[in-house]
Every structure is written in structure tokens, then in C-alpha cells.
Amino acid sequence: MDENRRNILIESTRALSKLHLLAAFFADEIVMKVYVRSQVIHQLFENNTELDINKLELFHLQFTATVTELLRKIKKSNERNVMLLFDEIQVNADMINRLEASSYSENDYRLEKQRQALKINNSLRKLYEVLSHDSSEYPFAKNINSFSARFASGFYPTVEADVLAKLTQYEPNEVYTNAHAIIQRKLMGLLCKYDFKSEFYSGLKSGSLIIEVFRILETDIYYVFYPSRNLFLLCDAAEIQAINSTIALDKPDTMVQELKNRNDQLESSVAITKTFLPNEVRSLLADHYKKISDINFLQNMANFDTQANVLKAMLNTDMM
């Protein structure tokens, strides 16, 4: 084998190796077909010494090198886009960590709801005794207002101000009042009947106004506690359930959940972005494959300048 032929075949193998790496990276059918067909052309020249080896060199210069450069440019652009995705994922992850570190968890809220219900039940039992004996003793458990102070901002849904105003309206002749509390007479009777056993149902807020909603156990009886006034009033079960139903439909995800959802979307798109091929490029490669697969391609290799120039023009576009 003469030196020129040997060198051209070596360079051809190198050109094919580069194209093969890119075909494996993009894992795209048309890119792989272009590589396989280019490999076939190489083997034709390698196995047929009567063919002009210089045409193989020309083929790689005009086609393989241009396709390789085009794919490298797209790969580099895709990798930049992937880095941007990873940067956003990291920023979101850092924000999630900060928010979770500075806020109470769902588990904290669940446990404290039980403690708050116990405080309210004991306080109402004590209030009943205080009212019965016309005592001036303070009936409420220690730190009874701290629950809403801790959890309202993160766990209480927001409602219109008129909703809270309606839930806290009462007739003066329908309540017991002393220096420490106001409680609806009918509510006190029901609490006595059910042995002061109730559970925390939900909280509601409107601006700085906050109320807590409780349900008497094993009943469909609800009442509200207005912490800033130590006010206890019955409320309509259907109305409370309607409010919560509306909130459940309209309440957006928390910021933490939104960020987690966004990161899930970003991570799903990383693999797609990494190996993305513009439709224009895929179409061009399909035309290129069709041309080099033509049975008369080798006989007409001197007339492929137009197709090669189209490939080269792609390198100068702004699509990547």
C-alpha cells in the first residue's frame, strides 16, 4: 500500500471515530444512519484499490468534517443550555433548603394541632367552672394564642375579611361574658353535653385577623375561637365546609412545593435538552443521508458541492 493511500485511510478512520462518538451522544437514528453509511463508503475505498482514494479524502473534507463540526456546535450549545438548567435546579434547591429550615413542617403542625385542641378543651372546661362560680380566675391554658402565632402564616388559608366578620358576629344577649372571655350560651351547653371534647379543624386568616375552627368530637358541630378577643361562637357546619371546599380548590401550592415541582420538570428536560437536534438539522441530515446512499453517489462525487455548501451554511446560522 502506497503512503498516500495509507495516510488517507488512517485519517478516514479518525474522521469516522469522531462522527461515531457524536452519533452515540445524540442517539438519533438519522445521525447513526449517516455514520453507518459513511463507514460503508470508507470500506468500499479500503477494499477496492481501483477506486481513487483521493475521492475518499474529498468526501470527508466536504461532508464528514462539516457534519461533525455541525453536530459539535449543536452539542456545545445543548451543553450550555443544560448547565443553565442545572444552575436553576441548584438555585431552587438552595431556596427549598432555606425555606424548609426556617419554617414549620407538616409534622410539627399535626402534632401542635392536637396540643392546641387539648389546651382549648381544658380552657373551656375551666371557663365553665369560672362562669358557674362567678369567679374572676383566669381560665385559659398557658400560651393558648401561640399556636396561631406560629402556624397561621404557613398553614392557614386566606379568606375575605367579610367571611371572618360574619363568623365572629353575635348577639350580646346570646353570650356569657366575663373579664376574660365571651362564649355563646348554646355553645357552652353543647360543650358540657359532649364533655368538652373537640378537635382542631382548621384555621382561617384575613390580613392580621385570625380565627381557629374546632369540631366537637363525634358530631357535626363546629365553633370558632377568635384569639385576639377570646371569643367562642358556634358556626354553621355547611358554611365552614363550603369555605374549606372553596379554599381546597383555589389554594395554590406552597412555595416549597412549587419549587420542587419546577425542579422535577427541569430534571425531566435535562436529557432531552442534552441531545436535542433542531428539526432543520435533522431534515438536512436526512437529505444528506439520502444523497450519500444513492447508488450513483460514487460515480458523481465530483458534483456534490451544492449539498456540501448547504451543510456548511448551517454552521453560520444562529439556530445553535
Side-chain angles (χ1 to χ4, degrees):
M1 180 186 300
D2 66 69
E3 188 70 14
N4 180 58
R5 177 180 176 79
R6 187 176 71 82
N7 289 337
I8 289 175
L9 288 173
I10 290 173
E11 290 302 318
S12 175
T13 300
R14 288 174 180 168
L16 289 172
S17 295
K18 294 173 183 178
L19 183 59
H20 185 224
L21 288 174
L22 289 164
F25 173 82
F26 284 100
D28 187 276
E29 181 184 5
I30 189 60
V31 180
M32 185 58 71
K33 287 170 75 173
V34 167
Y35 162 72
V36 171
R37 182 57 187 171
S38 300
Q39 178 75 27
V40 168
I41 291 172
H42 170 90
Q43 289 174 348
L44 283 172
F45 279 92
E46 186 176 34
N47 297 332
N48 293 275
T49 56
E50 69 275 12
L51 293 176
D52 183 358
I53 196 66
N54 293 303
K55 287 187 176 182
L56 176 61
E57 181 180 36
L58 185 59
F59 166 73
H60 286 309
L61 286 173
Q62 291 279 48
F63 284 98
T64 310
T66 308
V67 169
T68 300
E69 182 61 23
L70 178 62
L71 293 176
R72 278 179 174 171
K73 190 172 182 181
I74 296 171
K75 179 175 179 287
K76 187 174 181 179
S77 175
N78 289 354
E79 287 171 345
R80 285 197 301 268
N81 292 334
V82 167
M83 288 305 299
L84 291 175
L85 293 178
F86 280 131
D87 287 345
E88 184 178 349
I89 288 171
Q90 187 58 53
V91 169
N92 290 345
D94 291 342
M95 179 62 72
I96 289 168
N97 290 336
R98 286 197 297 271
L99 289 172
E100 289 181 336
S102 63
S103 63
Y104 295 104
S105 68
E106 288 282 355
N107 189 54
D108 293 330
Y109 183 52
R110 184 172 59 254
L111 292 174
E112 290 302 321
K113 283 196 300 185
Q114 298 172 8
R115 294 192 178 98
Q116 181 67 357
L118 182 60
K119 286 182 180 180
I120 288 292
N121 291 337
N122 290 338
S123 297
L124 288 170
R125 190 186 300 275
K126 184 67 175 180
L127 178 60
Y128 171 74
E129 295 174 359
V130 166
L131 292 172
S132 297
H133 296 90
D134 195 22
S135 168
S136 61
E137 187 177 354
Y138 185 73
F140 292 105
K142 184 178 180 181
N143 298 325
I144 196 170
N145 293 336
S146 66
F147 176 76
S148 283
R150 293 169 62 193
F151 294 102
S153 63
F155 292 89
Y156 288 13
T158 299
V159 296
E160 297 296 329
D162 59 351
V163 173
L164 262 60
K166 183 178 180 181
L167 290 172
T168 55
Q169 287 178 348
Y170 63 92
E171 294 295 331
N173 62 342
E174 294 180 354
V175 300
Y176 294 115
T177 303
N178 73 359
H180 305 296
I182 303 171
I183 185 167
Q184 200 165 9
R185 293 172 184 265
K186 185 177 180 180
L187 173 58
M188 181 61 84
L190 289 168
L191 289 167
C192 288
K193 178 180 178 180
Y194 292 101
D195 196 27
F196 298 92
K197 293 180 179 178
S198 57
E199 64 179 355
F200 182 88
Y201 180 72
S202 71
L204 299 172
K205 66 183 179 186
S206 179
S208 61
L209 302 178
I210 295 170
I211 65 172
E212 298 173 10
V213 182
F214 293 83
R215 184 179 70 87
I216 296 177
L217 292 179
E218 300 180 359
T219 73
D220 200 26
I221 301 169
Y222 295 81
Y223 65 91
V224 299
F225 170 46
Y226 191 4
S228 65
R229 297 179 59 190
N230 286 340
L231 172 66
F232 296 88
L233 299 173
L234 282 168
C235 54
D236 182 73
E239 184 176 1
I240 288 295
Q241 290 166 358
I243 291 170
N244 277 311
S245 175
T246 302
I247 291 165
L249 289 173
D250 295 340
K251 184 181 179 183
D253 289 335
T254 64
M255 183 178 291
V256 168
Q257 190 57 53
E258 288 176 349
L259 289 170
K260 287 181 178 179
N261 291 343
R262 174 61 178 163
N263 271 5
D264 287 343
Q265 294 170 359
L266 292 170
E267 288 170 0
S268 297
S269 65
V270 164
I272 297 172
T273 302
K274 183 178 179 181
T275 59
F276 173 72
L277 273 178
N279 288 334
E280 298 91 333
V281 173
R282 297 192 79 261
S283 177
L284 182 66
L285 290 175
D287 289 343
H288 170 56
Y289 171 73
K290 182 178 179 181
K291 183 172 182 64
I292 64 176
S293 298
D294 190 281
I295 192 169
N296 296 316
F297 176 71
L298 292 177
Q299 284 73 31
N300 299 300
M301 284 188 69
N303 301 316
F304 53 54
D305 286 351
T306 300
Q307 177 73 8
N309 287 336
V310 173
L311 277 169
K312 290 178 180 178
M314 295 293 288
L315 291 170
N316 299 319
T317 68
D318 295 327
M319 73 168 57
M320 277 75 75

